[in-house]
Amino acid sequence: QSALTQPVSVSGSPGQSITISCTGTSSDVGGYNYVSWYQQYPGKAPKLIIYDVSKRPSGVSIRFSGSKSGDTASLTISGLQVEDEAGYYCSSYTSISTWVFGGGTKLTVL
Amino acid sequence: QVQLQESGPGLVKPSQTLSLTCTVSGGSVTSGPYYWSWIRQPAGKGLEWIGRISTSGGSMYNASLRSRVTVYIDTSKNQFSLNLSSVTATDTAVYYCARRSGLLSAFDVWGQGTMVTVSS
Protein backbone atom coordinates (compact mmCIF):
# COMPACT_ATOMS: atom_id res chain seq x y z
CA GLN A 1 0.00 0.00 0.00
CA SER A 2 1.64 3.24 -1.15
CA ALA A 3 1.53 6.36 0.99
CA LEU A 4 -1.05 8.98 0.11
CA THR A 5 0.36 11.98 -1.76
CA GLN A 6 0.48 15.37 -0.03
CA PRO A 7 2.38 18.54 -0.94
CA VAL A 8 5.58 18.79 1.05
CA SER A 9 4.86 22.34 2.13
CA VAL A 10 2.28 25.11 1.97
CA SER A 11 2.33 28.62 3.33
CA GLY A 12 -0.02 31.44 4.04
CA SER A 13 -0.36 34.72 5.90
CA PRO A 14 -2.39 35.23 9.06
CA GLY A 15 -6.07 35.57 8.23
CA GLN A 16 -5.80 33.83 4.89
CA SER A 17 -7.12 30.38 3.98
CA ILE A 18 -5.05 27.46 2.75
CA THR A 19 -5.91 24.02 1.41
CA ILE A 20 -3.83 20.86 1.69
CA SER A 21 -4.56 18.05 -0.74
CA CYS A 22 -4.27 14.32 -0.13
CA THR A 23 -4.39 12.06 -3.19
CA GLY A 24 -4.87 8.33 -3.08
CA THR A 25 -6.61 5.73 -5.21
CA SER A 26 -9.98 4.08 -5.53
CA SER A 27 -8.70 1.47 -3.06
CA ASP A 28 -8.38 3.97 -0.26
CA VAL A 29 -9.41 7.65 -0.38
CA GLY A 30 -11.77 7.21 -3.31
CA GLY A 31 -13.37 4.05 -2.01
CA TYR A 32 -14.33 5.03 1.52
CA ASN A 33 -15.47 8.06 3.48
CA TYR A 34 -12.89 7.19 6.11
CA VAL A 35 -10.36 9.97 5.62
CA SER A 36 -8.91 11.68 8.66
CA TRP A 37 -6.47 14.52 9.25
CA TYR A 38 -3.93 15.05 12.01
CA GLN A 39 -1.99 18.07 13.24
CA GLN A 40 1.50 17.48 14.62
CA TYR A 41 3.85 19.93 16.31
CA PRO A 42 7.58 19.11 16.39
CA GLY A 43 8.38 16.51 19.02
CA LYS A 44 4.71 15.90 19.79
CA ALA A 45 2.20 13.20 18.99
CA PRO A 46 -0.31 13.78 16.20
CA LYS A 47 -3.72 15.19 17.14
CA LEU A 48 -6.92 14.26 15.34
CA ILE A 49 -8.60 17.31 13.75
CA ILE A 50 -10.90 15.80 11.08
CA TYR A 51 -12.46 12.33 10.74
CA ASP A 52 -14.89 10.71 8.30
CA VAL A 53 -13.76 13.23 5.63
CA SER A 54 -15.40 16.29 7.14
CA LYS A 55 -16.34 15.78 10.80
CA ARG A 56 -14.61 17.66 13.60
CA PRO A 57 -13.96 16.13 17.02
CA SER A 58 -15.21 18.08 19.99
CA GLY A 59 -12.92 20.99 20.79
CA VAL A 60 -11.40 21.38 17.33
CA SER A 61 -11.76 24.87 15.84
CA ILE A 62 -14.39 25.39 13.15
CA ARG A 63 -11.59 26.98 11.10
CA PHE A 64 -10.60 23.42 10.14
CA SER A 65 -12.74 21.74 7.49
CA GLY A 66 -12.43 18.70 5.27
CA SER A 67 -13.82 17.53 1.95
CA LYS A 68 -13.31 14.88 -0.71
CA SER A 69 -13.71 14.61 -4.46
CA GLY A 70 -12.92 11.33 -6.15
CA ASP A 71 -9.53 10.05 -5.02
CA THR A 72 -8.46 13.37 -3.48
CA ALA A 73 -9.29 14.65 -0.03
CA SER A 74 -8.62 18.18 1.15
CA LEU A 75 -8.08 20.00 4.43
CA THR A 76 -8.88 23.69 4.51
CA ILE A 77 -7.76 26.01 7.28
CA SER A 78 -9.48 29.37 7.25
CA GLY A 79 -8.46 32.49 9.15
CA LEU A 80 -4.88 31.24 9.49
CA GLN A 81 -3.28 31.81 12.87
CA VAL A 82 0.36 31.62 13.87
CA GLU A 83 -0.39 28.60 16.05
CA ASP A 84 -1.58 26.68 12.98
CA GLU A 85 2.05 26.35 11.88
CA ALA A 86 2.61 22.60 12.16
CA GLY A 87 2.76 19.38 10.18
CA TYR A 88 -0.48 17.94 8.78
CA TYR A 89 -1.09 14.33 7.82
CA CYS A 90 -4.00 12.65 6.10
CA SER A 91 -4.98 9.03 6.58
CA SER A 92 -7.40 6.64 4.94
CA TYR A 93 -8.84 3.20 5.44
CA THR A 94 -7.95 0.80 2.63
CA SER A 95 -9.57 -2.03 0.71
CA ILE A 96 -7.36 -4.58 2.49
CA SER A 97 -8.56 -3.44 5.92
CA THR A 98 -5.42 -1.51 6.76
CA TRP A 99 -4.65 2.18 7.20
CA VAL A 100 -2.38 4.38 5.12
CA PHE A 101 -1.02 7.85 5.85
CA GLY A 102 0.14 10.67 3.64
CA GLY A 103 3.73 11.85 3.61
CA GLY A 104 2.83 14.98 5.54
CA THR A 105 2.66 18.69 4.75
CA LYS A 106 4.51 21.41 6.62
CA LEU A 107 2.40 24.54 6.99
CA THR A 108 4.28 27.80 7.40
CA VAL A 109 2.37 30.88 8.54
CA LEU A 110 4.30 33.84 7.21
CA GLN B 1 -10.18 10.07 29.93
CA VAL B 2 -8.12 7.32 28.33
CA GLN B 3 -4.36 7.85 28.16
CA LEU B 4 -1.70 5.73 26.46
CA GLN B 5 1.97 5.39 27.41
CA GLU B 6 4.61 3.56 25.41
CA SER B 7 7.54 1.85 27.08
CA GLY B 8 10.47 -0.31 26.00
CA PRO B 9 14.16 -0.25 25.09
CA GLY B 10 15.42 2.82 23.28
CA LEU B 11 18.23 0.90 21.60
CA VAL B 12 17.97 -2.41 19.77
CA LYS B 13 20.74 -4.26 17.93
CA PRO B 14 20.34 -5.19 14.25
CA SER B 15 18.71 -8.58 13.63
CA GLN B 16 17.16 -8.60 17.12
CA THR B 17 13.49 -8.16 18.05
CA LEU B 18 12.06 -4.77 18.98
CA SER B 19 9.50 -5.09 21.78
CA LEU B 20 7.32 -2.23 22.98
CA THR B 21 4.38 -2.04 25.36
CA CYS B 22 1.52 0.46 25.52
CA THR B 23 -0.15 0.87 28.90
CA VAL B 24 -3.77 1.98 28.85
CA SER B 25 -4.97 4.12 31.76
CA GLY B 26 -8.39 5.63 32.43
CA GLY B 27 -10.12 2.76 30.66
CA SER B 28 -9.93 -0.93 29.87
CA VAL B 29 -8.08 -2.40 26.92
CA THR B 30 -10.94 -4.88 26.58
CA SER B 31 -13.79 -2.36 26.50
CA GLY B 32 -14.98 -1.08 23.22
CA PRO B 33 -15.28 -1.75 20.44
CA TYR B 34 -11.77 -0.36 20.20
CA TYR B 35 -8.85 -1.10 17.94
CA TRP B 36 -5.35 -0.65 19.34
CA SER B 37 -2.67 0.29 16.82
CA TRP B 38 1.04 0.87 16.51
CA ILE B 39 2.25 3.65 14.22
CA ARG B 40 5.81 4.79 13.60
CA GLN B 41 7.59 7.85 12.26
CA PRO B 42 11.24 7.95 11.15
CA ALA B 43 12.97 11.25 11.88
CA GLY B 44 11.78 13.95 9.50
CA LYS B 45 9.44 11.58 7.68
CA GLY B 46 5.78 10.66 7.57
CA LEU B 47 3.66 8.31 9.63
CA GLU B 48 3.45 4.58 8.89
CA TRP B 49 0.72 2.34 10.26
CA ILE B 50 2.25 -0.91 11.53
CA GLY B 51 -0.69 -2.96 12.73
CA ARG B 52 -3.54 -3.29 15.20
CA ILE B 53 -5.38 -5.62 17.50
CA SER B 54 -9.05 -5.44 18.38
CA THR B 55 -10.62 -5.88 21.78
CA SER B 56 -11.72 -9.33 20.60
CA GLY B 57 -8.12 -10.23 19.80
CA GLY B 58 -8.22 -10.03 16.01
CA SER B 59 -5.14 -8.53 14.36
CA MET B 60 -4.28 -6.84 11.07
CA TYR B 61 -0.86 -5.77 9.83
CA ASN B 62 0.77 -3.55 7.22
CA ALA B 63 1.52 -5.87 4.32
CA SER B 64 5.09 -4.60 4.05
CA LEU B 65 5.82 -5.58 7.67
CA ARG B 66 3.48 -8.56 8.13
CA SER B 67 6.20 -11.21 8.12
CA ARG B 68 7.99 -9.51 11.04
CA VAL B 69 5.19 -8.05 13.18
CA THR B 70 3.03 -9.28 16.03
CA VAL B 71 0.62 -7.16 18.05
CA TYR B 72 -1.07 -8.68 21.09
CA ILE B 73 -3.09 -7.76 24.15
CA ASP B 74 -2.29 -8.51 27.81
CA THR B 75 -5.61 -8.06 29.56
CA SER B 76 -4.16 -8.76 33.02
CA LYS B 77 -1.92 -5.73 32.73
CA ASN B 78 -4.28 -3.57 30.65
CA GLN B 79 -1.62 -3.32 27.96
CA PHE B 80 -1.03 -4.12 24.33
CA SER B 81 2.34 -4.81 22.80
CA LEU B 82 4.38 -4.82 19.59
CA ASN B 83 7.06 -7.26 18.52
CA LEU B 84 9.05 -6.45 15.37
CA SER B 85 11.64 -9.05 14.49
CA SER B 86 14.86 -8.96 12.45
CA VAL B 87 15.20 -5.21 12.76
CA THR B 88 17.54 -3.07 10.67
CA ALA B 89 18.52 0.59 10.73
CA THR B 90 15.44 1.39 8.64
CA ASP B 91 13.28 0.47 11.63
CA THR B 92 14.73 3.39 13.61
CA ALA B 93 11.80 5.68 14.38
CA VAL B 94 9.50 7.16 16.98
CA TYR B 95 6.89 4.52 17.74
CA TYR B 96 3.39 5.58 18.79
CA CYS B 97 0.55 3.54 20.17
CA ALA B 98 -2.93 4.79 19.31
CA ARG B 99 -6.61 3.95 19.75
CA ARG B 100 -9.33 3.87 17.16
CA SER B 101 -12.85 3.79 18.42
CA GLY B 102 -15.31 1.60 16.56
CA LEU B 103 -17.43 4.73 16.23
CA LEU B 104 -14.68 6.68 14.47
CA SER B 105 -12.65 5.88 11.41
CA ALA B 106 -9.67 7.65 12.94
CA PHE B 107 -7.07 7.48 15.69
CA ASP B 108 -8.49 9.61 18.47
CA VAL B 109 -6.08 8.88 21.33
CA TRP B 110 -2.29 8.72 20.97
CA GLY B 111 0.60 7.98 23.26
CA GLN B 112 3.45 10.49 23.48
CA GLY B 113 5.72 8.26 21.41
CA THR B 114 8.99 6.51 22.18
CA MET B 115 12.20 6.74 20.17
CA VAL B 116 13.77 3.44 19.15
CA THR B 117 17.19 3.34 17.53
CA VAL B 118 18.50 0.24 15.78
CA SER B 119 22.27 0.20 16.04
CA SER B 120 25.09 -2.09 17.10
Side-chain angles (χ1 to χ4, degrees), chain A residues 38 40 44-45 51-52 89, chain B residues 41 96 100 104-105 107 111:
Chain A
Y38 302 85
Q40 185 181 37
K44 300 296 186 181
Y51 69 97
D52 291 356
Y89 293 86
Chain B
Q41 184 174 36
Y96 296 99
R100 180 176 75 85
L104 294 176
S105 62
F107 304 100

Side-chain angles (χ1 to χ4, degrees), chain A residues 39-96:
Chain A
Q39 177 189 61
Q40 185 181 37
Y41 292 109
K44 300 296 186 181
K47 172 191 173 185
L48 176 66
I49 56 173
I50 294 288
Y51 69 97
D52 291 356
V53 175
S54 60
K55 298 177 182 177
R56 276 186 311 276
S58 174
V60 173
S61 172
I62 60 172
R63 299 185 299 104
F64 293 92
S65 62
S67 63
K68 192 186 83 167
S69 178
D71 296 341
T72 298
S74 298
L75 171 71
T76 297
I77 309 174
S78 59
L80 267 180
Q81 299 180 359
V82 172
E83 58 261 35
D84 297 332
E85 184 163 299
Y88 291 86
Y89 293 86
C90 62
S91 178
S92 175
Y93 182 69
T94 79
S95 60
I96 53 174

Side-chain angles (χ1 to χ4, degrees), chain A residues 1 33-36 38 40 43-48 50-52 89 91 96-104, chain B residues 37 39 41 44-49 52 60-63 66 96 100 103-108 110-113:
Chain A
Q1 198 78 33
N33 287 324
Y34 295 150
V35 176
S36 51
Y38 302 85
Q40 185 181 37
K44 300 296 186 181
K47 172 191 173 185
L48 176 66
I50 294 288
Y51 69 97
D52 291 356
Y89 293 86
S91 178
I96 53 174
S97 302
T98 62
W99 296 85
V100 63
F101 286 90
Chain B
S37 281
I39 296 162
Q41 184 174 36
K45 296 188 178 181
L47 299 164
E48 179 181 35
W49 183 79
R52 64 85 169 154
M60 290 293 297
Y61 302 119
N62 185 321
R66 184 176 295 130
Y96 296 99
R100 180 176 75 85
L103 301 177
L104 294 176
S105 62
F107 304 100
D108 61 340
W110 293 68
Q112 66 184 29

Side-chain angles (χ1 to χ4, degrees), chain B:
Chain B
Q1 183 172 347
V2 172
Q3 293 184 313
L4 307 180
Q5 178 67 59
E6 305 89 349
S7 60
L11 180 64
V12 181
K13 288 182 167 49
S15 80
Q16 293 190 340
T17 295
L18 179 162
S19 296
L20 296 174
T21 294
C22 183
T23 300
V24 180
S25 59
S28 171
V29 73
T30 59
S31 63
Y34 292 126
Y35 301 85
W36 306 98
S37 281
W38 287 95
I39 296 162
R40 70 181 181 180
Q41 184 174 36
K45 296 188 178 181
L47 299 164
E48 179 181 35
W49 183 79
I50 299 170
R52 64 85 169 154
I53 190 159
S54 69
T55 52
S56 61
S59 57
M60 290 293 297
Y61 302 119
N62 185 321
S64 67
L65 298 170
R66 184 176 295 130
S67 63
R68 301 194 290 130
V69 174
T70 304
V71 179
Y72 59 96
I73 280 181
D74 186 337
T75 57
S76 65
K77 296 180 179 178
N78 212 34
Q79 298 172 335
F80 64 102
S81 298
L82 166 71
N83 281 346
L84 179 65
S85 65
S86 304
V87 297
T88 69
T90 59
D91 294 310
T92 295
V94 174
Y95 284 75
Y96 296 99
C97 56
R99 184 191 80 172
R100 180 176 75 85
S101 164
L103 301 177
L104 294 176
S105 62
F107 304 100
D108 61 340
V109 180
W110 293 68
Q112 66 184 29
T114 187
M115 178 69 201
V116 178
T117 300
V118 178
S119 176
S120 55

